[in-house]
Amino acid sequence: MTMTRRGFLSASAALATIPALRRGAWGAAPPPREADIVVIGAGAAGIAAARRIVAANRKVIVVEAASEIGGRCITDTSTFAVPFDRGARWLHNPDSNPMIRLARSAGLDVAAAPLGQTIRIGRRNARAGETEEFLAALVRANRAIDDASRGKLDVPCASALPKDLGDWAGTAEFVLGANATGKDLKDVSAMDKARGVDRSAAIIACRQGLGTLVAKLGEQLPLSLSTPASRIAWSNRDVTVETPSGKIAARAAIITVSSNVLAAGNIKFTPDLPKRYLDAATKLSLGSYDHIALLLPGNPLGMARDDVMIEQSNSTRTALLLANVGGSSLCSIDVAGSFGRDLSAQGEAAMVAFAVEWLTKLFGSDAARAVKKSSATRWNEVPSVLGAMSAATPGAQPSRKILTEPIGCMFLAGEATHDTLWGTVDGAWDSGERAADAALRKIGALKDTEPAPASPVARPRRRAAPARRGPIN
Ligand SMILES: Cc1cc2nc3c(=O)[nH]c(=O)nc-3n(C[C@H](O)[C@H](O)[C@H](O)COP(=O)(O)OP(=O)(O)OC[C@H]3O[C@@H](n4cnc5c(N)ncnc54)[C@H](O)[C@@H]3O)c2cc1C
């Protein structure tokens, strides 16, 4: 990814607790025993896949381990007066992102955000010249990673960084590493990072929450919540998926669980999953990224709506602030990478304490005194997810392609399987549609030459070409 000078956000990862919608389309009754295709997981990838299968007039069943739809897109609407996106909050790539049109069709409000990006140096904002200096450092760092990615051998992004970034070295590392991928740059493949599509052009937010959107898109689907797949017996002709509510027989399966869930062996396979897939999932492990949400009435930070702030820091013990979310008093302090992982392991109280201490350091103690309510996510501890977003370890970029190869009549999907849009909701969505097309072809519901069925809301087909623009993640 080449950094543009527009800002620093694209590198950052980054939209619900919808009320537990229902146990599933079948109420308290177990899901049906047969389908053409069974989809494991009701996150963005699973919902996209199931919609595609329904559009092709084939019978699908979605089984979801959690008690709600969304996976890593969950909007909590009960803790605060405004929606709090516990996972993904921003849509990227507005020119090609199908979810923006889907959101409008579903009657949700989507709009560009955020505009303001501030850098704090101690208790003051960076001057224009200092901001310029930082953005120049960021561009150089990104270019160096791009250049390194063209070598024969893959290297860690950190080893490619220019050595003369001075006071901005740590900040550049945070923005491009932990904040963009959930991992420190020493743990991230330069080739993988460089192949990632630019996320800087514009950032789109959904007023009702990105989790609300994903849940809405899954509303009409035949799905069963609180129904984890425990074992999948598979061959080249059919699959049987075991769940606590019984077995489901199908002609193909689409598995959308996160790379960490797959690698952890939470689903057993008979016969075993070939080792190369498990190795690939391990090498595409999830980074750590969490939101610490603080309610700060009265705007004690003196920031505008959806202002984003980072600090000049040479330590990994830092964060990104999104102030006054959607014009409310809700502020999110995002922690990520190795520091974020260690902090989240200490629990919610420690996370909130860090956020308060960090704001006090940068804005004084009035800010800390203003906190009226808090909530922190801990994605590494969510058993059905186990982390935030995938980032390839050095040397592991080809692993993404391995995960797209069919295994008998099973097809993997999810953000980790996307070559260029990994770590995003639209990447997950695209991967779900790709896997659904492959599964439909496998069962003869789609001919090789036939165009894929239009999903309920048609969109231009996109197999993202490797972009060489710049990120703001
Ligand atoms: C804090 C955070 C911030 C982020 N910010 C952004 C952002 O701003 N913009 C962006 O584009 N992306 C962002 N992302 C990344 C984005 O959320 C993910 O890339 C995307 O949501 C992944 O979707 P998925 O369908 O691949 O996986 P998931 O959402 O993980 O879906 C997989 C589903 O499988 C289910 N499952 C697991 N095991 C089983 C089982 N045994 N049986 C049945 N079901 C099972 C899970 O419960 C889950 O619902 C963020 C992620 C996090 C955590």
Side-chain angles (χ1 to χ4, degrees), residues 375-387:
S375 175
T377 67
R378 297 175 69 219
W379 283 100
N380 302 326
E381 311 297 325
V382 176
S384 57
V385 179
L386 299 175

Side-chain angles (χ1 to χ4, degrees), residues 13-14 41 44-45 64-65 71-72 87-90 229 257 289 384 414-415 423-425 428:
E64 166 56 53
R72 282 170 268 173
R89 65 159 75 100
W90 287 322
V257 302
Y289 198 105
S384 57
E415 57 86 13
T424 67
V425 183

Side-chain angles (χ1 to χ4, degrees), residues 1 6 92-93 223 263 268 359 365 404 441 451 467:
M1 300 188 227
R6 264 181 243 119
H92 301 288
N93 312 308
L223 65 86
K268 308 288 177 227
L359 289 180
S365 50
T404 62
R441 288 200 164 93

